[in-house]
Amino acid sequence: SDYEQLGYNLRSNLFQGGPLKSQSLMRDSYTPDVFQKAIIDPRHWHGRTINELGRWYEKYFLDLNVKKAMKEKYG
């Protein structure tokens, strides 16, 4: 039956998963020094900067989530 075939496949380890070493077109296209020189700036990502209004909204939504959790927990 199908169930027995599935059990056989699982026991014989036909589903071995993905490759251990992944390939990337970006990694293959550039030399390693490009990645060593890259500076990761959390305040400027994908061409966008986080300004004061963005920080205010982050705090505002964090406050809303805390209020919602408190209301669910304590009523």
Side-chain angles (χ1 to χ4, degrees), residues 3-53:
Y3 182 76
E4 291 173 358
Q5 272 191 321
L6 179 63
Y8 170 76
N9 290 335
L10 291 174
R11 284 193 305 274
S12 61
N13 196 17
L14 293 177
F15 309 117
Q16 297 177 11
L20 295 177
K21 183 179 180 186
S22 64
Q23 292 182 331
S24 166
L25 178 62
M26 188 178 86
R27 196 180 311 132
D28 294 341
S29 300
Y30 295 101
T31 56
D33 64 316
V34 171
F35 298 106
Q36 292 169 357
K37 292 178 187 173
I39 299 170
I40 299 172
D41 185 9
R43 297 172 110 6
H44 184 78
W45 49 278
H46 297 291
R48 300 179 186 161
T49 56
I50 298 175
N51 57 12
E52 290 297 320
L53 183 61

